[in-house]
Amino acid sequence: MKILLIYPTTTSNGRPNKYKQAYLPPLNMAILNRLTHIANPKHDVKIVNDVVETIDFETECDLVGITALTAQATRAYQIADAFRDRGKRVVMGGIHPSMCPDEALEHADAIVIGEAENIWADLMNDAENGKLNRIYKDHDYPDLSPLIIPRWDGIDLSIYRRSYGRRYPRMPIFTTRGCVHNCKYCSVTKHFGRKYRYKPIDNILEEIKQTGAESYFFVDDNIICNAAYSEELFETLRRSTGGIRWLSQCSTFILKKPHLIDLAGQSGCRSMIFGIESINKDNLKQIKKSFNNPENFVELHRLCLEAKIQPFFSIIFGLDNDLISNMWDTLNYLKKNKIWNVFFWILTPLPGTDLFDEMVREGRLIHTDWSKYDLNHVVFHPLNFSNEDLYQNFWRLYESFFSTANILRKLFSKHSPDRFLQYYITFFMNQIYSRRQVKSRCHPLSMGLIKKT
């Protein structure tokens, strides 16, 4: 079969958002490419990233596969409907169709609920024989032991941002799935389960070897979920990978095993994202994240810098104990402690989460226009201020964070032990870009780099 796999962009006012470059090649599409090849090596797979590339709706194909996060769902449905209008069969998967299967089935011939590893071959066989089921759902979570190397052929890697002189862009890879926590706003446990599953470290090394890139993003939601596994992984990366650089996401639990911070730095970690979410303990309790302790955030920041890791703190505004004054207090806290790598988000109740169910019960959802569920629009009624107050103060605060004066403070403060020219040029350019994004009400971590339409 000829199979077209599509990674959709987001939309604004019903129109697709297009960018000059994308940040990260879609790992789920590359895994599906490999699984398709395993099912039948004669299948021909093409992957299109709608964030940058143009979709040819007249292309000859036997099956169209579309993945979707919630913010991508509106565009995903547009694409699916356009292909089905032309008589093409469409299968949809990803977190949003998994959480809203009845809705997704209105736009697809078949949907995959959950992870695909154990069921993709059956779906391929059914498609070949013209008898697709409506729903494919595994009875259990896939075992991560088998070696499944993402297949990157069929995808144009030139459209992704890369560092100067690098052959490849930063490439995605995962080591674990699942999470033992049950944070109210997070859909990870609903989709991947409440226990950790681990990829064999030898398989990770083989994937790095076959991919051949110098830089990686470990997309795990918490790369230090098991200290013993993480220690072995970091030590193996340090000894065996020839100096790759990587970044990932991590919980503040790493402070309980601070030697992991040093070992991560030695293994090539250059950045780590921490979901600290709030400096207010009542907020953290409300979202079931009391294991975060604001009293330790500054220490975590310091230890990362000493290990030559740039820490990025992720913060949510609009929580039930937030006031407008608290938002600006947070900015002052960041300035006071010289914490300069931060992402701000607006609380967003994503389908399938406990937060979404709570908002529905309390009648606090404004709408279900999924294109606005991108973590920088207000889609619910906050408790302590108006929707408009939250939205406007969020962007004003972001503008202040990237003001000229604040950028200069960042550049001339001792926020990094690596005081060399290349770092500062890159940092300055990123700050200027983020400032421009924020002024145009576009999040610095939107779908791509430099919006076209």
Side-chain angles (χ1 to χ4, degrees):
M1 294 188 296
K2 289 186 176 181
I3 300 167
L4 179 63
L5 300 178
I6 299 175
Y7 185 79
T9 188
T10 54
T11 59
S12 295
N13 299 317
R15 298 184 59 188
N17 295 316
K18 292 288 189 177
Y19 298 83
K20 290 186 177 180
Q21 283 187 312
Y23 284 110
L24 199 69
L27 179 59
N28 51 0
M29 299 284 95
I31 292 174
L32 287 181
N33 192 0
R34 174 61 65 188
L35 294 174
T36 302
H37 185 78
I38 292 172
N40 188 336
K42 294 182 179 179
H43 290 322
D44 178 49
V45 178
K46 181 180 180 182
I47 299 171
V48 175
N49 189 333
D50 183 46
V51 173
V52 175
E53 297 175 302
T54 300
I55 299 172
D56 179 6
F57 289 99
E58 305 302 331
T59 189
E60 289 297 321
C61 60
D62 301 295
L63 186 68
V64 179
I66 307 171
T67 185
L69 300 171
T70 295
Q72 298 168 292
T74 300
R75 177 58 175 165
Y77 294 155
Q78 289 177 354
I79 296 168
D81 292 345
F83 275 111
R84 294 183 84 202
D85 287 345
R86 291 164 172 79
K88 306 298 184 184
R89 294 177 298 171
V90 173
V91 57
M92 298 188 71
I95 288 183
H96 188 81
S98 295
M99 300 302 168
C100 302
D102 292 339
E103 174 189 282
L105 281 169
E106 296 176 9
H107 303 273
D109 297 283
I111 63 168
V112 174
I113 297 178
E115 299 167 63
E117 278 88 344
N118 291 344
I119 54 180
W120 191 251
D122 291 338
L123 189 153
M124 288 289 100
N125 183 63
D126 291 346
E128 275 194 275
N129 291 296
K131 54 177 185 179
L132 275 175
N133 295 323
R134 292 286 279 160
I135 295 175
Y136 291 84
K137 183 178 180 180
D138 196 1
H139 66 280
D140 201 358
Y141 295 105
D143 178 12
L144 302 184
S145 297
L147 178 63
I148 300 176
I149 304 294
R151 190 176 169 95
W152 294 107
D153 60 332
I155 183 170
D156 182 5
L157 293 179
S158 70
I159 67 173
Y160 299 92
R161 184 182 184 184
R162 70 186 68 194
S163 299
Y164 179 76
R166 294 285 173 85
R167 180 183 176 190
Y168 294 104
R170 178 177 288 128
M171 299 296 285
I173 189 172
F174 78 88
T175 70
T176 63
R177 288 181 186 167
C179 183
V180 296
H181 305 298
N182 192 29
C183 301
K184 186 184 290 188
Y185 60 88
C186 184
S187 55
V188 170
T189 54
K190 308 297 183 183
H191 191 68
F192 293 112
R194 288 207 62 183
K195 66 178 182 179
Y196 292 115
R197 288 166 286 142
Y198 305 92
K199 185 187 292 185
I201 291 176
D202 286 345
N203 291 5
I204 297 168
L205 294 180
E206 184 61 26
E207 187 170 334
I208 291 171
K209 177 182 176 182
Q210 291 197 30
T211 303
E214 303 99 329
S215 179
Y216 293 86
F217 179 26
F218 287 97
V219 300
D220 304 48
D221 293 284
N222 181 12
I223 200 168
I224 57 97
C225 54
N226 179 293
Y229 177 86
S230 302
E231 184 169 353
E232 183 182 358
L233 172 64
F234 298 164
E235 181 61 32
T236 303
L237 292 174
R238 185 185 69 82
R239 290 186 286 102
S240 306
T241 57
I244 67 162
R245 296 188 172 198
W246 59 273
L247 65 91
S248 191
Q249 304 171 108
C250 178
S251 82
T252 59
F253 267 115
I254 200 169
L255 280 172
K256 296 183 180 294
K257 302 283 184 179
H259 71 284
L260 289 177
I261 299 176
D262 292 328
L263 192 54
Q266 294 168 23
S267 72
C269 180
R270 292 296 174 265
S271 302
M272 191 72 82
I273 303 168
F274 296 92
I276 67 168
E277 318 311 0
S278 177
I279 60 172
N280 182 311
K281 288 184 177 181
D282 290 332
N283 273 335
L284 294 171
K285 181 178 180 181
Q286 182 243 332
I287 58 174
K288 301 180 183 178
K289 205 158 185 175
S290 296
F291 55 83
N292 274 2
N293 185 351
E295 296 174 4
N296 296 332
F297 293 162
V298 173
E299 175 71 0
L300 175 61
H301 186 264
R302 181 185 67 80
L303 290 175
C304 286
L305 291 179
E306 289 180 356
K308 299 184 178 180
I309 297 171
Q310 288 297 316
F312 285 78
F313 284 1
S314 180
I315 297 175
I316 298 172
F317 293 119
L319 296 163
D320 283 355
N321 292 285
D322 274 341
L323 301 171
I324 295 298
S325 59
N326 297 148
M327 297 173 64
W328 293 94
D329 288 343
T330 299
L331 181 62
N332 292 331
Y333 168 88
L334 298 172
K335 290 179 179 179
K336 175 184 176 182
N337 292 292
K338 299 180 180 179
I339 298 172
W340 302 130
N341 295 316
V342 182
F343 301 123
F344 300 136
W345 310 98
I346 294 175
L347 180 68
T348 303
L350 297 172
T353 64
D354 292 342
L355 179 64
F356 184 88
D357 295 341
E358 179 182 282
M359 294 286 185
V360 170
R361 287 195 307 270
E362 297 177 358
R364 293 174 62 188
L365 286 186
I366 299 173
H367 57 69
T368 54
D369 175 358
W370 303 129
S371 68
K372 298 293 195 296
Y373 280 62
D374 57 0
L375 283 69
N376 49 82
H377 287 84
V378 183
V379 299
F380 72 102
H381 296 291
L383 284 187
N384 301 319
F385 34 79
S386 71
N387 317 334
E388 187 66 13
D389 280 343
L390 173 57
Y391 182 78
Q392 294 299 338
N393 278 275
F394 171 80
W395 287 110
R396 288 171 189 154
L397 188 148
Y398 232 150
E399 284 186 24
S400 180
F401 188 72
F402 289 112
S403 66
T404 300
N406 217 33
I407 289 175
L408 291 175
R409 288 190 193 99
K410 298 172 190 179
L411 285 171
F412 292 104
S413 68
K414 295 182 179 180
H415 64 280
S416 169
D418 294 327
R419 301 185 66 85
F420 53 91
L421 184 60
Q422 182 179 1
Y423 170 81
Y424 281 102
I425 291 174
T426 301
F427 184 82
F428 179 72
M429 295 303 294
N430 286 338
Q431 292 289 303
I432 296 300
Y433 173 76
S434 295
R435 177 183 174 176
R436 187 174 75 171
Q437 289 286 94
V438 167
K439 280 185 172 296
S440 63
R441 295 296 189 262
C442 188
H443 199 278
L445 283 186
S446 55
M447 294 291 289
L449 184 69
I450 307 178
K451 188 177 180 181
K452 294 167 62 177
T453 57

